[in-house]
Amino acid sequence: MKGYYIERNLSGMNELPATLKSDVPDPKPGKGEVLVDVHTAGFNYFDVLQVQGLYQHKPPFPYVAGAEFSGTISPSSPIPAGAPSWLRPGARVFGAGQGSYAEKIKVPFHTLVPVPEGMKMEEAAGLYVTYPTSYAALVYRANIQPGEYLLIHAAAGGVGLAALQIGKALGAKVIAACSTQAKLDVCLRYGADYAINYAEGAKGDWQKKVMEITKGHGADVVYDPVGMIVPSLKCIAWNGRLIVVGFAGGNIEKIPANLILLKNVAVTGVHWGAYSKNEIKKVPETWEALLKLFAEKRIKGVVYDKVFEGLESVPEGLRALGARETWGKAVVRVSKESAKL
Ligand SMILES: NC(=O)c1ccc[n+]([C@@H]2O[C@H](COP(=O)([O-])OP(=O)(O)OC[C@H]3O[C@@H](n4cnc5c(N)ncnc54)[C@H](OP(=O)(O)O)[C@@H]3O)[C@@H](O)[C@H]2O)c1
């Protein structure tokens, strides 16, 4: 099969095109696993880090890159004992595993989620990591309440736009922060109550804007996938909660403990991928809540304007994501069938 094979760590995005291979061995499903024909794969920031050898999960070489996908259960897939009745060859599914930038991927059957009726494969391909991360962050870690001010950094990004919509669905007043006017417009289009530019050189001081918007109260919850906890302490409310989601800015902050005490706030982290190991019952609970929100049309998957076409365009997608050009979920259509499903 065709796959985006990584044989050594790449030092930069310019090297990426060399690694698409057409003779990657088909994955062989093991016990409890199924084979999925990939239709669309999602781009995540951690994919960019992984191909450069900078991510915590380092598969042995050679490996196929990519994690998120939507697809159909392959006609040749085994159907393990205990699989639900809907899980049959041809069933539309989404999920994540190692190696989604390929024509086929194998995954444990119990990790798959059925694509909701009427949802396009492109939309489904970008849901598996971002939406539960943002739900777990806001509900389990911050216990967000209706009417609270929620400040979201990188709000037009993958996890950011998921947090924005989930926050709105839970009744929060959302302040979206990002780096360009185009991204601010995207956030407003998807329901943000306020949008502010936090880029260096943007007019005015963004923390001051948060204090003005909240009439001196400050943000009750800060959702941070960038690494902006310390500057956010300037505009946090009494009893506020700050959620460490990621470090897209490249810097892991050291947080002065005295500020946490003085502001009477809590700094908490979220590691969605580890729920399946440490708190497995939260996984189906989270998907049940999210699928209900999708069915009620209170949230939806947001696909970046440009859908990348074919595995050949994986390097371009990764480059665009790494260069902060994309918003929402950037995805690559692996199979031409995808547009029809
Ligand atoms: N904790 C978890 O369980 C979990 C799960 C999924 C993802 N994450 C993490 O969350 C972060 C965001 O992931 P994502 O998939 O949403 O990524 P994404 O769609 O690429 O969004 C990241 C955004 O971060 C902002 N950013 C700020 N400084 C940046 C820099 N120096 N380089 C690149 N981007 C920068 C950019 O928005 P602006 O241009 O508006 O600043 C960019 O669009 C990543 O660190 C990822 O590893 C964590």
Side-chain angles (χ1 to χ4, degrees):
M1 67 166 186
K2 253 188 184 176
Y4 197 77
Y5 228 164
I6 304 293
E7 290 166 310
R8 64 185 166 80
N9 287 339
L10 307 167
S11 57
M13 293 296 125
N14 293 341
E15 281 189 83
L16 292 178
T19 53
L20 178 62
K21 300 255 171 161
S22 54
D23 56 353
V24 174
D26 278 11
K28 302 248 174 306
K31 198 166 175 264
E33 291 182 328
V34 289
L35 191 64
V36 176
D37 292 335
V38 177
H39 287 284
T40 304
F43 291 109
N44 279 287
Y45 196 77
F46 59 73
D47 299 318
V48 177
L49 295 177
Q50 192 183 56
V51 298
Q52 295 178 93
L54 302 174
Y55 190 55
Q56 65 239 31
H57 178 51
K58 296 181 171 63
F61 296 115
Y63 68 89
V64 177
E68 274 182 314
F69 64 85
S70 64
T72 51
I73 302 294
S74 182
S76 62
S77 174
I79 304 295
S85 57
W86 60 263
L87 205 150
R88 290 288 170 264
R92 300 190 328 141
V93 292
F94 65 95
Q98 181 66 52
S100 69
Y101 301 152
E103 290 169 322
K104 293 178 195 299
I105 187 169
K106 62 169 184 165
V107 282
F109 79 82
H110 70 268
T111 62
L112 290 170
V113 182
V115 177
E117 194 71 26
M119 185 184 281
K120 289 203 159 156
M121 292 303 242
E122 287 89 345
E123 185 179 341
L127 306 181
Y128 195 74
V129 175
T130 45
Y131 282 73
T133 297
S134 295
Y135 186 89
L138 296 176
V139 177
Y140 308 142
R141 308 306 293 145
N143 189 22
I144 196 159
Q145 297 301 311
E148 285 194 316
Y149 284 107
L150 166 62
L151 170 63
I152 303 174
H153 292 310
V159 291
L161 270 179
L164 188 163
Q165 295 182 68
I166 294 167
K168 282 302 295 174
L170 297 173
K173 291 180 273 193
V174 172
I175 307 170
C178 40
S179 72
T180 65
Q181 187 56 47
K183 289 183 180 180
L184 299 181
D185 293 342
V186 167
C187 293
L188 290 169
R189 206 156 77 226
Y190 284 95
D193 296 287
Y194 309 91
I196 58 177
N197 193 332
Y198 61 27
E200 263 177 56
K203 233 166 84 203
D205 164 343
W206 62 265
Q207 292 101 327
K208 221 166 118 195
K209 284 187 190 149
V210 172
M211 294 312 289
E212 279 164 20
I213 289 168
T214 60
K215 301 182 182 64
H217 176 81
D220 296 293
V221 176
V222 175
Y223 179 96
D224 179 23
V226 178
M228 296 180 61
I229 296 292
V230 174
S232 301
L233 283 165
K234 274 196 184 172
C235 59
I236 189 79
W238 176 256
N239 283 336
R241 288 86 75 207
L242 303 107
I243 321 163
V244 179
V245 183
F247 312 100
N251 178 34
I252 298 180
E253 293 172 288
K254 303 238 178 313
I255 306 168
N258 62 324
L259 293 182
I260 299 173
L261 176 155
L262 287 171
K263 298 269 183 164
N264 204 56
V265 296
V267 178
T268 182
V270 68
H271 184 177
W272 172 249
Y275 271 82
S276 59
K277 206 169 80 202
N278 300 318
E279 218 178 327
I280 185 84
K281 69 177 189 353
K282 279 281 196 287
V283 176
E285 186 183 319
T286 303
W287 277 113
E288 195 185 327
L290 285 170
L291 290 174
K292 186 165 180 284
L293 290 173
F294 280 113
E296 292 168 355
K297 307 228 176 310
R298 296 168 72 200
I299 60 172
K300 61 188 228 177
V302 180
V303 179
Y304 176 54
D305 260 357
K306 175 178 174 186
V307 172
F308 294 88
E309 283 295 344
L311 284 169
E312 299 71 18
S313 67
V314 164
E316 171 53 14
L318 290 171
R319 190 209 56 75
L321 188 95
R324 287 166 92 160
E325 288 167 16
T326 65
W327 46 262
K329 281 301 299 195
V331 300
V332 54
R333 213 179 268 142
V334 175
S335 149
K336 294 236 174 345
E337 292 296 301
S338 178
K340 290 185 237 149
L341 286 165

